C-alpha cells in the first residue's frame, strides 16, 4: 500500500475517536514520510503540532496503525515544513476526508441570510435558526478555576438535554463567554443527537420577529416555529426588559417547551432576580433550574485562553508577550482576544513578530486611560539606540556570542548561519534597507541571497517558538 493510502486509512480509523475541530487542527497536512521494516515515520507540518500530537494522540495513533499493520513496532514523528506549503499535496487533506466520510453536520448553511435550515428526521419539517458558529465548542472553552461549574453543567446539559438542568441559565458581564458557551452547547447537542432540532436566537432578534409577526398578522405561524424545537437557546434575555408583548410571547413559548421537557438555555448579563422591568413570572421561571455565573478569569486562565487562541489562529507568540497581555487586560476575554487579534494582524502586515512594546502600544491605543504594567512606553528602559545596520550586527553578534566578522564572513555552520539570517531579517524589517544594500553590508552578497534569508526566517517564525523568543529578546535589547 502506498504511504499516502496507508496514512489515509489510519486517519479514517482515528477520526471517530477525536473531536472534529481537534482532528482538523492537528492532523491537517500530516503524512507518512517513510515506512520501512518495523518503523513508521509520520511527517507533521509544524513543531507545535508535533508536540501536541505526541503528547495527546500517540496511543491512539499506535492503535490505529497497528490495526492496519501489526508489524509496525515503532512510530516516530518528524517536523516537515514543506507539508504546509500551499500547493503541496503531499499531506492528507483531513477536511476533505471528513466531507467524504459524510461527517458533515445535518444542517445546511444558507450564507445569504445567515440562517440555517435544520431538517428534522423524516418529517422534513423545517425551522429557521440563527447560525451556530463552529468556532464555539466546549473543548476550546478554556476552563479556569472560576468557570469549572458552568463548563461542567454545560457538558451535562449537552449529554442529557431536557434533564435536570432545565432551564439552564448562564449569566456574567460582557465578553466573558456566554455566547461561546451557549452556542457550544448547541453544537455539541447537534453532534450528540443529530435528530434533535436546535434553535438559537438572540432575545433581540426574538423581539424583532414578534414585532414583525404582529404587524403581518402572522402570529400563528410564529408560534408554529417553536412547536418542534427540542433545544431552545436564547441569548441575552436582559434585552426583554420593557418589551411587554415579546415577554408575553416568550412566556408562552417557554411554558410550551418546558412542559414538553424540551431543553431551554438562557444567557443574560445579570442573575434572574436582578432583571428589572421583566415580569415576575418570567424571572421566577428563569431561576427554576440551574443558574451559573461566569466570572472574570484569573491570570493563569487568561494566559491559557491566549495560548488557546494562538493555536486557533495558527500563530506562535512569545509566551512572555502573552503574559504581558494577560497582566494588562483583565476585564474581559473579548478584550484579551481583541488585543491578540490586533497584534497578529499588525505583525502579519509588517512581517514582524509581536513584542512587548508593540502590544503595549496596541493596549494603549484601545484604552488610552489605561496604565500599562511592566513596560514604560515613554522610556525605552536601558535599550540601546539603533541607528544603522552596524548597530544591529553588534547586538545580534553579542546575543549569540559570535563576532561581527563571523556574521559577515562565509562560515556556513548553523551556529553562524542562523544569526546571520536573523541579522539580515532585522535590518530589512526594522531599518527598511533594500536587499541590495543589505547584501553589500554583508561582504558583497547577492540581493537574492538576502531575500531568500529573509523569506526563510519569516516562514520559520511561524513554527519555531525558540526563534520567536530569541528575536523578541534581541528586539528588546534594541528597545523595540
Ligand atoms: P459574551 O457573550 O459573554 O459577551 P462571548 O461568548 O462573545 O462573550 O465571548 C467573547 C470572546 O471570548 C469569544 O471570542 C469567546 O470565544 C472568547 N471566550 C470567552 N471565554 C472563553 C474561554 N473560557 N475560553 C476560550 N475563549 C473564551
Ligand atoms: Mg454574547
Amino acid at each position: 500500500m502506498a504511504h499516502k493510502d496507508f496514512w489515509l486509512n489510519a486517519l479514517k480509523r482515528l477520526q471517530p475517536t477525536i473531536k472534529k475541530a481537534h482532528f482538523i487542527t492537528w492532523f491537517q497536512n500530516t503524512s507518512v514520510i517513510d515506512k520501512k521494516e518495523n518503523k513508521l515515520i509520520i511527517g507533521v507540518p509544524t513543531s507545535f503540532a508535533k508536540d501536541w500530537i505526541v503528547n495527546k494522540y500517540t496511543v491512539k495513533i499506535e492503535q490505529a496503525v497497528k490495526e492496519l499493520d501489526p508489524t509496525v513496532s515503532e512510530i516516530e514523528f518528524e517536523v516537515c515544513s514543506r507539508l504546509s506549503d500551499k500547493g503541496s499535496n503531499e499531506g492528507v487533506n483531513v477536511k476533505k476526508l471528513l466531507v467524504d466520510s459524510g461527517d458533515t453536520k445535518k444542517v445546511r448553511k444558507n450564507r445569504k441570510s445567515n440562517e440555517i435550515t435544520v431538517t428534522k428526521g423524516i418529517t422534513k419539517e423545517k425551522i429557521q435558526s440563527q447560525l451556530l458558529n463552529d468556532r464555539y465548542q466546549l473543548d476550546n472553552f478554556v476552563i479556569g478555576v472560576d468557570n469549572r461549574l458552568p463548563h461542567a453543567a454545560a457538558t451535562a446539559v449537552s449529554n442529557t438535554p431536557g434533564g435536570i438542568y432545565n432551564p439552564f441559565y448562564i449569566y456574567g458581564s460582557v465578553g466573558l463567554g456566554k455566547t461561546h458557551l451557549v452556542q457550544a452547547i448547541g453544537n455539541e447537542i447537534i453532534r450528540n443527537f443529530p435528530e434533535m432540532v436546535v434553535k438559537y436566537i438572540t432575545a433581540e432578534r426574538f423581539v424583532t420577529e414578534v414585532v414583525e409577526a404582529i404587524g403581518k398578522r402572522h402570529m400563528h405561524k410564529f408560534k408554529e416555529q417553536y412547536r418542534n424545537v427540542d433545544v431552545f437557546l436564547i441569548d441575552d434575555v436582559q434585552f426583554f426588559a420593557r418589551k411587554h408583548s415579546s415577554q408575553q410571547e416568550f412566556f408562552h413559548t417557554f411554558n410550551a417547551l418546558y412542559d414538553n421537557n424540551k431543553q431551554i438555555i438562557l444567557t443574560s448579563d445579570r442573575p434572574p432576580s436582578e432583571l428589572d422591568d421583566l415580569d415576575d413570572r418570567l424571572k421566577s421561571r428563569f431561576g427554576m433550574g440551574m443558574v451559573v455565573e461566569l466570572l472574570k478569569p484569573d491570570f493563569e486562565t487568561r494566559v491559557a485562553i491566549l495560548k488557546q487562541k494562538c493555536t486557533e489562529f495558527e500563530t506562535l507568540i512569545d509566551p512572555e508577550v502573552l503574559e504581558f497581555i494577560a497582566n494588562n487586560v483583565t476585564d474581559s476575554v473579548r478584550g484579551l482576544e481583541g488585543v491578540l487579534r490586533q497584534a497578529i494582524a499588525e505583525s502579519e502586515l509588517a512581517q514582524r513578530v509581536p513584542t512587548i512594546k508593540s502590544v503595549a502600544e496596541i493596549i494603549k491605543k484601545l484604552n488610552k486611560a489605561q496604565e500599562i504594567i511592566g513596560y514604560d512606553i515613554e522610556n525605552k528602559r536601558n535599550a540601546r539606540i539603533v541607528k544603522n545596520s552596524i548597530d544591529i550586527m553588534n547586538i545580534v553578534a553579542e546575543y549569540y556570542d559570535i563576532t561581527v566578522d563571523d556574521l559577515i564572513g562565509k562560515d556556513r555552520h548553523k551556529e553562524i548561519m542562523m544569526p546571520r539570517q536573523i541579522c539580515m531579517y532585522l535590518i530589512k524589517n526594522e531599518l527598511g534597507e533594500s536587499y541590495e544594500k543589505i547584501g553589500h553590508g554583508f561582504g558583497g552578497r547577492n540581493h537574492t541571497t538576502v531575500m531568500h534569508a529573509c523569506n526563510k526566517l519569516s516562514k520559520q517564525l511561524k513554527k519555531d517558538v525558540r526563534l520567536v523568543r530569541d528575536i523578541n529578546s534581541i528586539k528588546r535589547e534594541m528597545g523595540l
Side-chain angles (χ1 to χ4, degrees):
M1 202 183 328
H3 290 165
K4 191 159 183 178
D5 288 338
F6 179 82
W7 186 229
L8 206 63
N9 281 329
L11 286 173
K12 279 184 189 157
R13 281 164 197 262
L14 265 177
Q15 186 249 313
T17 69
I18 297 172
K19 291 251 163 71
K20 187 175 149 200
H22 284 188
F23 187 69
I24 294 175
T25 309
W26 303 114
F27 290 94
Q28 182 68 358
N29 293 331
T30 51
S31 79
V32 164
I33 297 180
D34 203 5
K35 181 168 178 278
K36 55 175 169 257
E37 288 162 12
N38 305 333
K39 185 165 164 184
L40 182 74
I41 302 179
I42 297 170
V44 182
T46 65
S47 56
F48 209 50
K50 180 187 152 190
D51 289 348
W52 192 278
I53 291 177
V54 170
N55 281 331
K56 299 261 182 186
Y57 303 122
T58 305
V59 177
K60 286 182 176 170
I61 294 173
E62 272 171 10
Q63 257 170 11
V65 164
K66 281 186 182 154
E67 274 172 31
L68 285 174
D69 182 352
T71 64
V72 174
S73 60
E74 197 185 342
I75 299 180
E76 242 179 48
F77 297 89
E78 209 176 283
V79 179
C80 185
S81 57
R82 67 172 188 275
L83 290 170
S84 57
D85 287 350
K86 279 208 177 86
S88 150
N89 61 357
E90 198 180 332
V92 171
N93 182 349
V94 298
K95 290 181 196 157
K96 187 165 176 299
L97 185 81
L98 287 171
V99 174
D100 292 348
S101 71
D103 184 39
T104 39
K105 289 231 178 77
K106 294 212 167 21
V107 291
R108 254 185 311 122
K109 290 184 183 174
N110 179 347
R111 288 183 199 288
K112 255 202 246 140
S113 63
N114 194 30
E115 286 188 337
I116 45 174
T117 304
V118 187
T119 310
K120 182 171 181 171
I122 37 168
T123 57
K124 302 256 188 261
E125 285 166 295
K126 288 188 178 160
I127 169 156
Q128 293 298 308
S129 170
Q130 277 174 281
L131 191 63
L132 284 175
N133 193 331
D134 259 358
R135 204 162 66 78
Y136 298 132
Q137 301 291 342
L138 284 179
D139 50 349
N140 64 11
F141 188 83
V142 177
I143 311 168
V145 272
D146 296 321
N147 59 18
R148 224 164 254 167
L149 175 68
H151 186 270
T155 309
V157 168
S158 312
N159 292 332
T160 45
I164 48 171
Y165 297 152
N166 198 21
F168 182 38
Y169 186 100
I170 305 164
Y171 73 95
S173 51
V174 27
L176 290 185
K178 301 181 294 292
T179 299
H180 185 135
L181 206 51
V182 77
Q183 292 214 6
I185 298 174
N187 282 321
E188 190 74 16
I189 292 181
I190 291 175
R191 223 181 344 261
N192 292 345
F193 307 95
E195 74 291 353
M196 281 196 174
V197 174
V198 176
K199 182 172 172 87
Y200 168 87
I201 194 168
T202 59
E204 186 173 5
R205 171 81 175 256
F206 187 91
V207 171
T208 310
E209 289 188 1
V210 170
V211 172
E212 271 176 21
I214 295 173
K216 292 183 184 156
R217 299 174 196 285
H218 277 166
M219 218 52 222
H220 180 67
K221 215 167 117 197
F222 177 85
K223 286 186 209 291
E224 276 286 286
Q225 288 191 66
Y226 292 91
R227 214 167 36 92
N228 299 305
V229 171
D230 298 299
V231 179
F232 186 35
L233 315 166
I234 181 141
D235 208 354
D236 289 322
V237 294
Q238 73 276 6
F239 196 81
F240 282 139
R242 290 181 299 280
K243 316 238 170 20
H244 294 290
S245 32
S246 296
Q247 282 184 35
Q248 201 177 3
E249 202 41 57
F250 186 68
F251 182 71
H252 293 312
T253 308
F254 185 103
N255 288 341
L257 292 173
Y258 185 81
D259 290 344
N260 283 310
N261 295 324
K262 306 299 189 186
Q263 179 70 48
I264 300 161
I265 304 163
L266 315 114
T267 78
S268 168
D269 64 354
R270 65 200 82 181
S273 57
E274 289 172 24
L275 285 165
D276 303 331
D277 301 312
L278 215 73
D279 282 358
D280 285 341
R281 52 186 194 165
L282 267 183
K283 282 199 233 178
S284 72
R285 271 170 182 70
F286 288 176
M288 241 161 25
M290 178 74 169
V291 177
V292 295
E293 178 178 10
L294 281 178
L295 296 166
K296 283 185 193 170
D298 62 0
F299 174 75
E300 278 78 18
T301 313
R302 294 200 295 279
V303 174
I305 291 174
L306 286 169
K307 288 192 173 150
Q308 163 73 30
K309 301 287 170 188
C310 282
T311 313
E312 282 170 29
F313 300 146
E314 295 179 345
T315 325
L316 279 184
I317 293 186
D318 185 347
E320 241 186 283
V321 173
L322 296 182
E323 283 171 18
F324 178 81
I325 300 177
N327 255 322
N328 281 285
V329 184
T330 55
D331 260 5
S332 82
V333 180
R334 185 172 298 140
L336 277 179
E337 207 178 307
V339 173
L340 187 68
R341 273 178 192 277
Q342 185 87 23
I344 293 172
E346 283 187 9
S347 72
E348 275 176 4
L349 271 179
Q351 292 272 311
R352 295 168 176 190
V353 291
T355 60
I356 290 192
K357 181 182 181 229
S358 71
V359 297
E361 276 164 0
I362 291 170
I363 294 169
K364 199 76 193 162
K365 223 180 334 178
L366 294 175
N367 183 3
K368 288 212 167 51
Q370 184 168 344
E371 216 183 298
I372 307 280
I373 305 164
Y375 186 82
D376 187 349
I377 289 199
E378 312 307 328
N379 279 323
K380 289 186 175 174
R381 290 195 289 183
N382 306 320
R384 311 194 202 169
I385 307 294
V386 172
K387 288 194 296 284
N388 53 36
S389 53
I390 306 288
D391 294 335
I392 296 188
M393 286 184 187
N394 276 321
I395 292 175
V396 173
E398 205 172 294
Y399 185 86
Y400 285 102
D401 205 12
I402 56 177
T403 65
V404 172
D405 283 344
D406 288 336
L407 282 177
I408 295 173
K410 299 265 182 274
D411 192 333
R412 297 183 59 81
H413 283 98
K414 202 171 162 225
E415 306 80 70
I416 307 288
M417 279 276 275
M418 192 65 173
R420 184 181 295 139
Q421 288 172 346
I422 291 177
C423 202
M424 291 175 174
Y425 170 88
L426 287 170
I427 295 172
K428 176 78 203 152
N429 286 285
E430 302 308 328
L431 301 178
E433 283 190 3
S434 70
Y435 293 127
E436 203 119 29
K437 188 166 174 207
I438 300 173
H440 196 71
F442 278 84
R445 282 181 162 82
N446 192 296
H447 74 278
T448 51
T449 311
V450 182
M451 193 163 80
H452 176 71
C454 293
N455 289 342
K456 192 172 154 212
L457 213 85
S458 302
K459 250 190 178 170
Q460 202 140 340
L461 279 171
K462 297 204 169 82
K463 299 172 201 148
D464 185 344
V465 76
R466 261 191 52 197
L467 180 65
V468 174
R469 263 187 210 205
D470 282 352
I471 295 231
N472 257 305
S473 309
I474 296 169
K475 282 186 156 189
R476 210 159 318 138
E477 302 250 321
M478 292 161 57
L480 293 168

